Amino acid sequence: MQNRQPKTVLDILSTFHLFKEKVAKLRASPFTKQLGNLRWGYHVDDTTGDFRIEDIRPDDVSREALILTLRFFVQDSDGLKLKKIVKLYNGLPIPETVKQSVANSLKAFEEALASGLQINVDGTIYKSDRLFTIFMYGQYCHATKSNRDLFNRLRQCHPLTWVMLNQEFDKLVALHLEYIFWLDKKIAIALRALEATSPSSSCETR
């Protein structure tokens, strides 16, 4: 299978500039600006005794718009998947300590992604990283049948559970954003190093 990973400094520069272009869109998104208000809860009305669920999240339009950009960082086809970016970073002419911190960060991010809410659906436990995939590819991005079926199954949960699942998805999106923005700062360091290198030179990835 052909390795599509960029090899030359010029290719890596192009990839990193595209990375920063997409990051700028994430930073400017109304969804990102609304994340500070994320919360949920439930209350009993003192007068009627009715059960009321509070669900405060970014609006659906801003979420869908942001996900159109976020998908570049989670799917394989566009060359910006976070694992690929970290692999590129590891082959750069920059201090080993800096590269190691980026390599370590990916593992920490993946562990955090899997350490959130879990749910039992028909005897199967779904961890938070799987829930992220179910929502991404069952609702928003080129839905696949398996993820769409699971997403529809989750929609049948108790209303409070459904609120918790939606809140969890937005928290997982926020986790992606936090990591992407941190990585963007490291990319800026890499760009300064790369742009001082001849574009015609070769920089093999590991």
Side-chain angles (χ1 to χ4, degrees), residues 30-43:
F31 178 94
T32 303
K33 294 175 171 57
Q34 295 175 51
L35 278 173
N37 299 322
L38 188 66
R39 69 178 185 272
W40 71 275
Y42 58 93
H43 311 278

Side-chain angles (χ1 to χ4, degrees), residues 41-45 50-54:
Y42 58 93
H43 311 278
V44 178
D45 189 286
D50 291 337
F51 182 83
R52 180 171 61 84
I53 298 174
E54 180 183 49

Side-chain angles (χ1 to χ4, degrees), residues 13-184:
L13 275 170
S14 178
T15 298
F16 281 178
H17 279 300
L18 178 60
F19 179 93
K20 293 187 71 65
E21 177 185 316
K22 299 300 182 184
V23 169
K25 290 185 177 181
L26 294 178
R27 290 188 187 278
S29 167
F31 178 94
T32 303
K33 294 175 171 57
Q34 295 175 51
L35 278 173
N37 299 322
L38 188 66
R39 69 178 185 272
W40 71 275
Y42 58 93
H43 311 278
V44 178
D45 189 286
D46 288 336
T47 302
T48 65
D50 291 337
F51 182 83
R52 180 171 61 84
I53 298 174
E54 180 183 49
D55 181 20
I56 299 178
R57 297 182 293 125
D59 65 87
D60 292 340
V61 172
S62 68
R63 181 182 300 100
E64 291 175 5
L66 178 128
I67 286 173
L68 288 176
T69 301
L70 181 63
R71 63 188 174 88
F72 285 95
F73 300 94
V74 299
Q75 63 190 25
D76 292 315
S77 58
D78 299 296
L80 295 180
K81 189 172 183 177
L82 295 174
K83 286 185 178 180
K84 293 182 178 180
I85 294 296
V86 170
K87 183 177 180 180
L88 277 181
Y89 202 98
N90 194 48
L92 299 178
I94 55 179
E96 289 296 327
T97 54
V98 177
K99 290 191 284 189
Q100 188 59 49
S101 70
V102 170
N104 291 343
S105 73
L106 179 62
K107 180 180 179 181
F109 165 71
E110 291 175 339
E111 289 175 350
L113 193 62
S115 65
L117 183 70
Q118 299 183 23
I119 186 171
N120 186 323
V121 179
D122 300 329
T124 300
I125 301 295
Y126 294 97
K127 299 173 70 175
S128 52
D129 53 348
R130 183 70 180 96
L131 289 174
F132 178 80
T133 300
I134 291 170
F135 270 75
M136 280 289 286
Y137 298 101
Q139 171 72 350
Y140 296 108
C141 301
H142 306 294
T144 62
K145 185 178 186 306
S146 59
N147 285 307
R148 185 65 181 174
D149 289 346
L150 282 170
F151 180 81
N152 288 333
R153 177 67 183 87
L154 292 177
R155 293 184 70 173
Q156 299 172 20
C157 293
H158 186 278
L160 182 57
T161 302
W162 179 240
V163 166
M164 293 171 63
L165 291 171
N166 279 276
Q167 287 272 337
E168 182 68 11
F169 176 69
D170 280 358
K171 290 177 182 177
L172 295 171
V173 171
L175 178 62
H176 277 79
L177 295 178
E178 181 179 0
Y179 182 56
I180 289 168
F181 295 159
W182 179 87
L183 195 56
D184 184 47

Side-chain angles (χ1 to χ4, degrees), residues 5-16 84-100 102 183 186-195 197 201-206:
Q5 194 79 0
K7 294 293 184 182
T8 67
V9 169
L10 185 60
D11 288 334
I12 297 174
L13 275 170
S14 178
T15 298
F16 281 178
K84 293 182 178 180
I85 294 296
V86 170
K87 183 177 180 180
L88 277 181
Y89 202 98
N90 194 48
L92 299 178
I94 55 179
E96 289 296 327
T97 54
V98 177
K99 290 191 284 189
Q100 188 59 49
V102 170
L183 195 56
K186 299 297 184 181
I187 294 293
I189 297 173
L191 284 174
R192 286 195 293 270
L194 284 173
E195 288 168 346
T197 305
S201 64
S202 176
C203 182
E204 295 294 329
T205 58
R206 298 177 180 178

